[in-house]
Amino acid sequence: MINVIDGGVTAPKGFKAAGVACGLKNNGKKDLAVVCSDDIAVATGVFTTNLVKGHSLQLTMNHIKKGYAQSIVINSGNANACIGGQGNKDALEIAELTAQLLQCNAENVLVGSTGVIGIPLDMSKIRSGIKTSIANLSAEGGHEACEAIMTTDLVPKEIAVEIEIQGKKIRIGGMAKGSGMIHPNMATMIGVITTDANISHNLLDKALKEVVGYTFNRVSVDGDTSVCDMVLILANGKAGNEGISEEDMEYRNFKSALEHVCTYLARMIAKDGEGATKLIEVKADGAATPDDAYKVVSAVAKSPLVKTAIFGEDANWGRIITAAGYSGADFDPTLVDIYIGDLMVCQNGCALKFDEDKAKEILKEKEVTILINLKKGNYSDRIWTCDFSYDYVKINGSYRS
Amino acid sequence: MINVIDGGVTAPKGFKAAGVACGLKNNGKKDLAVVCSDDIAVATGVFTTNLVKGHSLQLTMNHIKKGYAQSIVINSGNANACIGGQGNKDALEIAELTAQLLQCNAENVLVGSTGVIGIPLDMSKIRSGIKTSIANLSAEGGHEACEAIMTTDLVPKEIAVEIEIQGKKIRIGGMAKGSGMIHPNMATMIGVITTDANISHNLLDKALKEVVGYTFNRVSVDGDTSVCDMVLILANGKAGNEGISEEDMEYRNFKSALEHVCTYLARMIAKDGEGATKLIEVKADGAATPDDAYKVVSAVAKSPLVKTAIFGEDANWGRIITAAGYSGADFDPTLVDIYIGDLMVCQNGCALKFDEDKAKEILKEKEVTILINLKKGNYSDRIWTCDFSYDYVKINGSYRS
């Protein structure tokens, strides 16, 4: 039984956070977040597979290796990437200054930066931001931290849930930013998850990696990622449960709750895609292999032609079968059924006379499901994306300016 | 010495063409083209690799197998795809009616259809279109045929060249339509090339496949294609040259002229991309393998973030290195140099202080070159694409309506 409760990363016991505007963003909005646990927490993360890696992200990958952390500092407005040696120094200074103020070890501080690539961080602003944030840390600060990691996001994305494990109420809170990644490869997302559960590092790591695989890595696609992407989780054990150390029912319950958090945040990211007017869920059924199912949903969800058609509320299923056809998946085109919502629009690879008014009605909704049934095997996959509108071009045509 | 001359597919000797409006397009524009050779010609083609294949295309793949053809009929406004048995019957009827009127064998007629998928062809319109076209065939009809194959193309795309081979002047003419394929996988293109050269089927086939590989298959990317894509070539030998039957200098001259034709048409397709305001040439140098070079240019040319930045005339090279980083190519990010035009904007993977005014000036041009030097090996590749504007969304949001 998973209860959704108010709040985000500070909903679990023993976590404080703050978010401040230190001047990295020109518009005066919050741009620096600190999240910290009262004590050292078990920690793990999932990081970009991009060959190019931001300097802050590299430091975090290094610090998290030992499996513990206490604090996370994230700035928005400016990525710390492709700067050379100065970028590494800046990331380290952020960790050291935070550690000094929190009286912890710099190795227990994780750092994230997101925004424009190739411009050095303005460290005088960052320093003052860290000081103000830490002075303002509070158990009610989750929402402000969530606002401070936003870039082109229109809405803050946070959630908290509560479940009972080993006779104790444990909580998981999360926040994420995602600039939309209309194109999957551009998933410039950062996610921070906190929990007061007592859980072994091995199982926390396993649960996070599995859950991210079918939530955050199924937003628009691919697992291809930007140079600053990361999802971090801290578990501080303050809930007082005995400890999750085996893959038993308690572990599965924890993982379900984590999945709930990540699914919610992942869907929020797709829904808040740059310029998006609709959330699109693309499903494949009946694939011969898991890889075929993935290839189909991935190609359909990436296709700008499919996404512009959905924006135009046009049931142009020809573009859907075309994308499936070039996806590289193996299937028989003459077996394929396609549904938009619950309306079948293509049967056995052929046009169907369907009710265009009903299709229009389905496409007018804020959430649209596309199902491609390959009728060839037993594997499925699904992915979340969004439609493609004028505003995507507007937002991305002048991002640096 | 390749001379560009006036005209298109009817510039070579012994070819006639016509293009008419038979009512498939609502706007009264031309929508049916016939190209034919006075006598049977050596013929070959390159076809979509999409698993889903249009009915007209399937018939053409079948007819061209024996290596000869005399006539090509192409309609725009409506693809003949995903219709089932009726689609095959309609394609065959087009070939049979054309053959009857031209007094040739139906197997020597090739058929192409391009437009909306899943709607049966209006055969009464097509029949009358074929009759009118054939009644109007002329050696000056190349341009009208070119207009009749356009879909969302803004400009007709045709070219003709003349070279001397074996003491005779031979000509190659070509026309193409391409709806833009801002995304490579959507390359809904059709190309028709004619020549009066006398050349063996083997060498014609070899030349076409090689040249298409680095021209039409390097527009926006991939060789991934729509369900109706094809490039056809007819060689009728009317120039009277002795015959190209070996891979000698004469063959290489012919291939160079063919490359000139295909390069011109391919660049025209990228330039006329839906909503495009600029032609972008993306080059990779210094790759360790040809595949790495291809992956880099392909990822950069596909990236909507790169393409919107170029539309916004914003030298956002961070998006270029990001796309290279997730392309799957193997390289060392700390070696990478990036140029926009002749302006270096990133050196050894790091930000450079470059002249933003100069960058703006380069990006204001109608043609922009991006060069990524990986400095790891000796392989190069290049691809043509276009920028991504508001109009792309407008054109594709309501294509069926």
Side-chain angles (χ1 to χ4, degrees), chain A residues 47-48 53-61 227-230:
Chain A
F47 299 92
T48 183
K53 290 183 169 62
H55 306 289
S56 298
L57 180 133
Q58 288 182 46
L59 175 120
T60 296
M61 289 180 81
V227 305
C228 298
D229 283 12
M230 54 171 90

Side-chain angles (χ1 to χ4, degrees), chain B residues 29-335:
Chain B
K29 289 194 176 168
K30 294 192 182 69
D31 47 23
L32 193 132
V34 175
V35 177
C36 74
S37 169
D38 292 347
D39 293 305
I40 289 180
V42 173
T44 186
V46 176
F47 299 92
T48 183
T49 55
N50 199 308
L51 217 53
V52 182
K53 289 183 169 63
H55 306 290
S56 299
L57 180 133
Q58 288 181 47
L59 175 119
T60 296
M61 289 180 80
N62 196 23
H63 281 190
I64 210 166
K65 269 184 199 152
K66 59 185 190 324
Y68 293 94
Q70 185 162 356
S71 180
I72 300 171
V73 182
I74 297 170
N75 76 274
S76 59
N78 201 348
N80 180 20
C82 301
I83 302 299
Q86 189 60 45
N88 296 328
K89 273 185 219 157
D90 290 345
L92 185 60
E93 190 188 335
I94 292 172
E96 285 175 344
L97 176 62
T98 306
Q100 190 194 320
L101 295 167
L102 289 175
Q103 296 179 297
C104 72
N105 189 321
E107 288 201 347
N108 291 329
V109 180
L110 311 177
V111 183
S113 300
T114 178
V116 179
I117 288 176
I119 296 176
L121 291 174
D122 184 332
M123 285 301 292
S124 69
K125 290 177 181 169
I126 298 252
R127 277 179 216 115
S128 97
I130 292 172
K131 285 173 196 161
T132 321
S133 291
I134 290 178
N136 284 289
L137 283 172
S138 99
E140 283 75 48
H143 185 71
E144 291 193 341
C146 183
E147 286 178 333
I149 63 172
M150 291 164 70
T151 50
T152 54
D153 303 64
L154 296 179
V155 293
K157 300 164 183 72
E158 61 178 341
I159 184 176
V161 300
E162 188 174 73
I163 46 166
E164 200 176 294
I165 286 183
Q166 296 167 334
K168 302 283 180 184
K169 290 221 185 303
I170 78 114
R171 289 177 169 191
I172 304 179
M175 66 179 188
K177 63 129 309 207
S179 65
M181 58 200 124
I182 293 279
H183 197 293
N185 300 341
M186 302 293 150
T188 52
M189 72 153 285
I190 289 184
V192 174
I193 301 163
T194 54
T195 178
D196 49 19
N198 181 9
I199 180 169
S200 75
H201 180 265
N202 270 357
L203 289 180
L204 186 69
D205 189 59
K206 187 177 160 81
L208 182 71
K209 280 177 185 147
E210 286 184 20
V211 168
V212 166
Y214 49 78
T215 56
F216 291 120
N217 280 346
R218 285 295 185 278
V219 179
S220 270
V221 174
D222 236 3
D224 292 313
T225 45
S226 92
V227 306
C228 300
D229 284 12
M230 55 171 90
V231 177
L232 303 172
I233 186 166
L234 303 187
N236 67 6
K238 296 282 182 189
N241 62 309
E242 187 185 311
I244 304 168
S245 55
E246 280 176 51
E247 289 186 48
D248 52 13
M249 179 67 82
E250 307 287 18
Y251 169 74
R252 286 193 294 278
N253 288 343
F254 175 80
K255 204 176 125 182
S256 295
L258 181 62
E259 183 181 342
H260 190 98
V261 167
C262 294
T263 299
Y264 177 83
L265 294 173
R267 286 173 59 101
M268 284 282 282
I269 288 173
K271 197 165 185 171
D272 193 25
E274 285 167 351
T277 72
K278 289 170 201 305
L279 173 70
I280 307 172
E281 181 165 288
V282 181
K283 291 180 179 173
D285 264 356
T289 68
D291 190 48
D292 285 338
Y294 177 68
K295 282 176 175 163
V296 166
V297 295
S298 170
V300 173
K302 275 195 213 186
S303 161
L305 289 178
V306 171
K307 290 152 80 98
T308 46
I310 304 283
F311 170 64
E313 298 174 351
D314 179 12
N316 194 333
W317 60 270
R319 293 179 179 173
I320 298 169
I321 198 169
T322 297
Y326 67 64
S327 69
D330 185 33
F331 64 91
D332 178 351
T334 67
L335 292 181

Side-chain angles (χ1 to χ4, degrees), chain A residues 57 59 61 71 74 82 108 268 284 286 290 349 353 355 398 401:
Chain A
L57 180 133
L59 175 120
M61 289 180 81
S71 179
I74 296 169
C82 301
N108 291 329
M268 285 281 283
K353 280 216 167 77
D355 182 342
S398 57
S401 326

